[in-house]
Amino acid sequence: MGQILRVARAALHQWEEPCISGTSGSGAIFFSGCVLRCVFCQNRQISAEGYGKTVTPGDLAGMMLRLQKEGAHNIDLVTPTQFAEGIRSALIMAKEAGLMIPVVYNCGGYEDVCALRRLKGLIDVWLPDFKYISGEISQRYSSKADYPEKAKAALSEMVRQAGRCAYDENGLMVSGVLVRHLVLPGHTKEAKAVLQYLFQEYGNRIAYSILNQYTPLPYVKEHAPELNRRLTKREYERVINYAMELGITNGYVQEGDSAREGFIPAFDGTGVGQET
């Protein structure tokens, strides 16, 4: 993506975990591009096709302040990794100008530890994916055989910076680490292995979000036909039951019909450029 910031959407967002979205919504800023190439990506329009508008760090700081004024519970930086340094500059500007709500770093888990250390003191809540424990599977579905090693190192740094999860009087997360795992169809064994690793390393010091919202989009049929179906209720139940057996108590599960394209926001430039 280069060094110039690109943003596809900056608006209140209701579809994160309850401790992030709350009642008013998070102030979600969706960035263009991604460091991964997941075959099942739901945000392909911005992650792979690069849709977005060019902004400066000052513009980005202005978006953050506007979202705070609109009542956002936090600033939710979605897929920020490729622009970490520009975001750092924007956060410093925004905080100097009065940004007071928590900042959430909502990422795919494939992070550079040195870049994360540069963000120390600027991020309150880390919201990474932990997609795979198997290098073979991560190579097939995200083109990164070293994903497990990178994700493990990144998560360790996030926990080191944030410590245990903390919440305000309304149940909103104000600091800590919330790890997401999307359960893929046919991969309950992988999901269990991910949860086992996370719990052995961190127990309930971190929060967990076990997702059943996998939705097969057209690109999947060509590149990973075995994923061209939805997760079954039984598959998801196996993973949730295993999480309970491990002793996971600090986390979220999804109920009902979460697997649908209606949860994908419109990437149409909403809220981008209003501050300039």
Side-chain angles (χ1 to χ4, degrees):
M1 294 303 295
Q3 296 299 311
I4 300 174
L5 293 163
R6 291 179 65 82
V7 176
R9 181 181 175 88
L12 294 177
H13 186 68
Q14 297 284 355
W15 299 333
E16 307 290 24
E17 286 77 5
C19 66
I20 303 295
S21 292
T23 55
S24 299
S26 63
I29 301 175
F30 289 84
F31 294 91
S32 306
C34 185
V35 295
L36 298 172
R37 281 293 176 267
C38 301
V39 296
F40 50 82
C41 181
Q42 295 185 339
N43 296 346
R44 191 168 186 78
Q45 180 186 358
I46 59 174
S47 67
E49 298 170 10
Y51 171 80
K53 296 182 179 181
T54 298
V55 301
T56 67
D59 295 332
L60 181 56
M63 292 178 212
M64 296 176 186
L65 293 168
R66 171 178 57 79
L67 289 166
Q68 176 176 258
K69 188 175 180 180
E70 291 177 358
H73 294 301
N74 48 63
I75 298 300
D76 182 13
L77 305 170
V78 186
T79 320
T81 304
Q82 61 276 12
F83 296 122
E85 196 60 29
I87 289 170
R88 179 179 183 274
S89 298
L91 284 170
I92 292 172
M93 291 182 191
K95 287 177 180 288
E96 289 177 348
L99 183 69
M100 300 177 64
I101 56 178
V103 177
V104 180
Y105 200 83
N106 184 342
C107 63
Y110 189 82
E111 315 299 315
D112 178 77
V113 171
C114 291
L116 299 181
R117 289 173 180 161
R118 290 273 292 162
L119 294 167
K120 185 177 181 180
L122 297 172
I123 305 299
D124 301 288
V125 177
W126 298 93
L127 183 58
D129 292 336
F130 202 107
K131 298 177 184 291
Y132 318 101
I133 205 74
S134 161
E136 180 180 354
I137 296 174
S138 62
Q139 173 63 34
R140 173 154 177 74
Y141 295 144
S142 295
S143 300
K144 298 291 184 183
D146 62 343
Y147 179 94
E149 288 71 32
K150 295 278 281 190
K152 288 177 182 178
L155 181 56
S156 177
E157 175 62 21
M158 292 173 187
V159 174
R160 187 187 72 81
Q161 289 190 28
R164 285 183 174 272
C165 300
Y167 304 84
D168 69 11
E169 64 276 9
N170 297 312
L172 294 168
M173 185 176 280
V174 294
S175 64
V177 180
L178 170 56
V179 181
R180 287 171 167 165
H181 178 70
L182 175 66
V183 184
L184 297 175
H187 289 283
T188 57
K189 182 178 179 180
E190 180 74 357
K192 290 178 180 179
V194 166
L195 294 176
Q196 182 182 43
Y197 168 78
L198 293 174
F199 193 74
Q200 285 179 343
E201 290 293 315
Y202 303 106
N204 284 305
R205 287 182 293 154
I206 63 173
Y208 301 78
S209 183
I210 306 173
L211 307 175
N212 72 349
Q213 67 189 45
Y214 174 79
T215 303
L217 298 175
Y219 186 81
V220 170
K221 186 174 183 179
E222 177 183 356
H223 296 275
E226 70 276 15
L227 297 182
N228 193 38
R229 65 173 177 86
R230 293 186 176 181
L231 188 72
T232 67
K233 181 179 179 180
R234 180 58 182 151
E235 285 176 314
Y236 188 60
E237 286 177 347
R238 288 193 191 114
V239 177
I240 298 305
N241 289 340
Y242 183 73
M244 294 170 63
E245 290 171 9
L246 285 173
I248 293 174
T249 58
N250 184 20
Y252 298 92
V253 299
Q254 289 184 314
E255 297 179 351
D257 185 16
S258 301
R260 52 189 175 88
E261 294 182 38
F263 281 94
I264 304 171
F267 299 119
D268 54 6
T270 296
V272 182
Q274 294 182 8
E275 294 70 31
T276 59

